[in-house]
Amino acid sequence: MSIPGFVIFNFMIYAIINAFTPGPGNFLALNTVTNYGLKRGKPLFFGIFAGYYFVQTSCCVFVYALGSLLPQFLAVMKYIGAAYILWLAIHIAISKPGKAGDEKSASFWKGFALQFVNVKIYLFGITALTGFITDYSRAFPVLFLFEMIIATVGTIATATWIGLGMMIQKFYEKHFRIINIIMALTLLECIYSMLVS
């Protein structure tokens, strides 16, 4: 069974919005590059990237196992995912820019460990699969492919925050309300697509 183009499109929209919004990894990367510079911050950045791929692989295994052992529960996960995306949309719409605290070190393991406590990316990986993909395929290679897409989009997002440094932070702080509302409305469209597909 092939996955319709509009489903893949909405999956990508969800992945991009979720990855590029301010979160623990993006704030830590931004704060590190502004405090330590690119060269000294590299170990931490690589830790964030590696952690992202590791967590998304774990999400893939979880969804695959769930689909194999309790396939009827995947339908329930779709609605849990929709509720999470709705919460995320509301949270994004009403949120204000935050400040990252001063970091004392820029190690690989600090960046890697951050991803294990970053609930956002666990929910991101699981809801993306159960909301958009598992209705069309539960094959492990397909699930793994889409989780690697998520991890790659997340890595690109964090690298963008690193590369543009303070420019992103200043632009976002100046225009955060309209940016947040646009992202929230786009997520609402993703929920609609997810539930009617």
Side-chain angles (χ1 to χ4, degrees), residues 85-95 184 187-188:
I85 296 171
L86 177 61
W87 173 85
L88 185 64
I90 294 167
H91 177 74
I92 288 171
I94 64 174
S95 68
L187 284 176
L188 291 179

Side-chain angles (χ1 to χ4, degrees), residues 21-70:
T21 53
N26 290 339
F27 273 134
L28 180 61
L30 174 66
N31 192 56
T32 300
V33 77
T34 56
N35 287 331
Y36 292 100
L38 185 60
K39 188 174 181 179
R40 287 178 57 207
K42 275 184 184 177
L44 181 127
F45 306 145
F46 288 129
I48 290 173
F49 302 155
Y52 220 132
Y53 282 94
F54 190 88
V55 168
Q56 294 312 315
T57 300
S58 301
C59 291
C60 175
V61 170
F62 172 77
V63 171
Y64 178 75
L66 193 64
S68 299
L69 301 174
L70 299 167

